[in-house]
């Protein structure tokens, strides 16, 4: 049955957390009750990206884009929009500049500068229905590879397109494929790395949840090109929704003869198995990932031998990241020239970023390489929350660095970010404002690294722990000038001597903040002050006598009895007893308490 | 509750269950992680006694099993609470104040991260990024997600489960 109208509801993790599943149920019920269920259908899609304003409902064909829709709004959408064709104005996105409603996403600043290639189907198709993927040219590229291109030409297409690995390091994808192809063996493997471990990055998960067939198709192409008949997807067990959608997609692909024996009559056999990660950041490193798939602790080993020579079960293995794979079918369909005119000289195409932190528009965005950080943060991101001042943006996760105001106009690509002291990484982009303490931020990332270090090599295992302790000491006001020197030296040693990428990049958050925010480190060490008011040990709460009316509210709320004073008299906080919980400040209605 | 305090006596039927899981994976040592996933799904956690049976079933050393269990944060040797609480400590949640929410949780429940309350009701775990950064900071109780959580909201959330 052909429907005249489609109600697309975001079924990504973020929107599901805001009850989008209940919304879908209510919409279906309303359609039924108002006897419109043969006219319109409800489709649960993957992520639209605009997580800040979720749950999202998009109505096709008129492209109306409703934001922050609650299950209770189902009735009005159906009775007004579906039945009478009238837009429900109060559910539309409001332009933050003049508060006028914007009906279509293409007119929103958040979407204007985006180009969606890897996310092309997210928010458009139902990820649990292979026919919707096929209707959007799905599995066309696979057929083209079999019938027209052949393995070597396909690799050449990727080379001409200039596709580089999206997992972090940016190694040219075609070269990796070629190396694996050249190594003779009775069995080879292709692996999809879906062990997305960066805290604050969720692009791989969104692709798998929103468009799992894109990854499956690309893996089949990958297998054909390198001569592998087995594919493995290494995915975090913490991603239940992505796992469920992958399982559904794999079964559908098998039923359609797109996986299994003699795919599309090509004589090529290929199938994919899932392997579950168990929560270890280091397993994003390809040798560690391979050990984990073999049932061992996920510890990395020295390269060479590269996985292309000896990987899973000592056979040639080609590991690719989810986002990299998602680009492959489109490049084959549209041609390398189309792809390589997007982006910069050395970085082609687009990159997906998880834009989060203190920006107005948190979400998943896909932008052309070469866009500036300023455009991303202030146009797409809509600037800093609560009109605060921009301070830094952290890219590259625990391996990356913090960039500042002066870096806002560099155009984003692999080389430029490294030159600026950070890196592309898998695409986390966390924006920080004046209230964030950069020493504390560095400590946060080191805490992560210490926890996630596999322990195999000493520089990473012991060195990072020492870095953490030094930072902890500084945030407690006990740091010395010498500590700053040690931080610098030790950071350098860990980078130079660690075994794998984790240790080689783990000091970056410390070194980049020390370089860009030297004053803040000095303020902690020399003046025993935290300029952003984050480091508790360096704070003192005081009462401003002129503002205090003696209401005793703070006296009553203080959990340790550190505030004294009678009614209608000015109160006093004992610095010795105070545990700096801030309860008094929250309670005071007269702004009579300040932090120094 | 800490790791050392967990003592379990496995019933014969439990031992059989573990052996069946091992057999499903052909008693292949290379499948250790898959076996542990399935075993943890069945029992809820992986105490030392369970690990011994797994080691026997796959014909690998107990040390190897213990090494793998303790390496990966997803595996736990302590039973989770009836309502396991997971707090996202990803960067987006961190910059929006997840640490203060965690402090409040620890204070109210009087347990540390990775522990379970004495009555077995709640346990606290930290996750790295749930992927709901638009809702940061995020707390999950069981399968239910709470977004934009402030420390003041913790008591109210816990009361839903009392």
């Amino acid at each position: 049955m052909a429907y005249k109208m489609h109600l697309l509801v975001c079924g990504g993790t973020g929107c599901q957390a805001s009850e989008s599943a209940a919304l879908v149920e209510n919409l279906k019920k309303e359609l039924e009750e108002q006897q419109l269920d043969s006219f319109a259908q409800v489709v649960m899609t993957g992520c639209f990206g605009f997580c800040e304003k979720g749950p999202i409902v998009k109505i096709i064909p008129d492209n109306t884009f409703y934001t922050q829709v609650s299950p209770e709004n189902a009735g009005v959408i159906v009775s007004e929009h579906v039945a009478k064709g009238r837009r429900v104005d109060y559910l539309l996105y409001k332009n933050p500049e003049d508060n006028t409603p914007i009906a279509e996403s293409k007119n929103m600043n958040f979407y204007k500068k985006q180009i969606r290639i890897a996310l092309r189907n997210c928010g458009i198709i139902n990820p649990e229905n292979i026919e919707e993927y096929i209707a959007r040219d799905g599995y066309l590229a696979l057929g083209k590879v079999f019938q027209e291109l052949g393995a070597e030409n396909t690799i050449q297409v990727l080379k001409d397109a200039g596709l580089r690995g999206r997992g972090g390091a940016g190694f040219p994808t075609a070269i990796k494929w070629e190396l694996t192809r050249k190594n003779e063996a009775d069995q080879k493997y292709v692996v999809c790395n879906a062990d997305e471990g960066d805290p604050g990055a969720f692009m791989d998960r969104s692709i798998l949840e929103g468009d799992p067939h894109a990854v499956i198709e690309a893996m089949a192409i990958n297998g054909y090109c390198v001569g592998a008949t087995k594919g493995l997807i290494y995915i975090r067990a913490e991603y239940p929704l992505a796992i469920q959608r992958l399982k559904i997609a794999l079964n559908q692909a098998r039923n359609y003869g797109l996986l299994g024996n003699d795919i599309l009559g090509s004589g090529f056999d290929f199938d994919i198995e899932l392997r579950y990660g168990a929560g270890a950041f280091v397993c994003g490193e390809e040798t560690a990932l391979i050990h984990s798939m073999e049932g061992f602790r996920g510890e990395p080993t020295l390269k060479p031998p590269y996985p292309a020579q000896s990987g899973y079960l000592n056979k040639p293995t080609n590991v690719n990241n989810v986002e990299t794979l998602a680009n492959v079918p489109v490049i084959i369909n549209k041609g390398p020239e189309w792809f390589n005119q997007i982006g910069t000289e050395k970085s082609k195409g687009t990159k997906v970023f998880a834009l989060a932190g203190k920006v107005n528009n948190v979400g998943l965005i896909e932008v052309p390489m070469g866009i500036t950080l300023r455009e991303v943060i202030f146009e797409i991101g809509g600037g800093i929350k609560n009109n605060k001042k921009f301070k830094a943006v952290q890219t590259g996760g625990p391996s990356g660095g913090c960039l500042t105001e002066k870096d806002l106009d560099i155009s984003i690509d692999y080389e430029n970010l490294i030159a600026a002291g950070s890196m592309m990484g898998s695409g986390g982009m966390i924006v920080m404002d004046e209230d964030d303490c950069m020493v504390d931020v560095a400590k946060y990332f080191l805490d992560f690294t210490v926890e996630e270090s596999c322990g195999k090599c000493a520089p990473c295992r012991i060195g990072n722990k020492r870095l953490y302790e030094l930072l902890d000491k500084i945030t407690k006001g006990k740091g010395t000038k010498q500590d700053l020197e040690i931080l610098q030296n030790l950071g350098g040693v860990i980078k130079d001597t660690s075994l794998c990428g984790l240790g080689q990049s783990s000091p970056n958050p410390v070194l980049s903040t020390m370089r860009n925010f030297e004053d803040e480190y000095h303020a902690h060490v020399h003046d025993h002050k935290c300029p952003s008011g984050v480091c508790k040990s360096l704070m003192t709460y005081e009462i401003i006598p002129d503002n205090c009316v003696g209401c005793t509210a703070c006296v009553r709320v203080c959990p340790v009895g550190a505030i004294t004073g009678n009614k209608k008299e000015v109160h006093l906080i004992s610095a010795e007893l105070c545990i700096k919980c801030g309860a008094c400040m929250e309670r005071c209605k007269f702004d009579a308490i300040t932090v120094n | 509750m800490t790791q050392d305090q967990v003592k379990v006596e496995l019933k014969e039927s439990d031992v059989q269950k573990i052996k069946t899981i091992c057999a499903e994976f052909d008693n292949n040592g290379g499948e250790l992680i898959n076996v542990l996933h399935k075993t943890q799904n069945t029992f809820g956690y992986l105490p030392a006694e369970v690990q011994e049976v797994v080691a026997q079933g796959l014909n690998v050393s107990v040390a190897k099993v213990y090494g793998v269990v303790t390496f990966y944060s997803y595996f736990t040797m302590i039973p989770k609470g009836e309502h396991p609480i997971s707090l996202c400590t990803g960067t987006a949640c961190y910059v929006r104040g997840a640490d203060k929410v965690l402090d409040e949780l620890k204070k109210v429940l009087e347990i540390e991260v990775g522990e379970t309350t004495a009555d077995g009701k709640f346990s606290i775990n930290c996750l790295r990024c749930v992927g709901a950064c638009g809702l940061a900071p995020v707390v999950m109780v069981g399968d239910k997600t709470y977004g934009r959580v402030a420390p003041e909201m913790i008591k109210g959330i816990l009361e839903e489960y009392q």
Side-chain angles (χ1 to χ4, degrees), chain B residues 20 23 29 64 72 80 151:
Chain B
T20 316
K64 186 186 166 185
Y72 295 99
K80 285 198 180 152

Side-chain angles (χ1 to χ4, degrees), chain B residues 130-146:
Chain B
V130 196
C133 305
L135 301 174
V138 175
V139 171
M140 290 177 75
V141 183
D143 289 333
K144 187 157 179 203
T145 311
Y146 297 84

Side-chain angles (χ1 to χ4, degrees), chain A residues 13-14 17 52 199-200 202 205 236-237 276-279 292 294-298 356-358 362 385 440-441 444-445 448, chain B residues 30-34 37 64 67-68 71-75 89-92 94-96 128-131 133-135 145 148:
Chain A
T13 298
E52 181 76 34
F202 53 99
R205 143 189 228 151
R236 289 177 70 186
Y276 303 120
S292 177
E294 291 169 339
F296 295 99
R297 291 161 68 102
K358 307 270 182 70
V362 166
K385 256 192 171 18
D440 194 60
V441 166
Y444 164 80
F445 281 113
F448 179 86
Chain B
E31 300 280 354
L32 175 59
I33 291 176
N34 284 334
H37 269 296
K64 186 186 166 185
V68 168
F71 184 85
Y72 295 99
S73 62
Y74 192 78
F75 297 130
T89 49
T91 322
Y94 155 76
V95 300
R96 290 204 190 167
R128 303 287 186 189
C129 199
V130 196
C133 305
L135 301 174
T145 311
R148 302 197 172 101

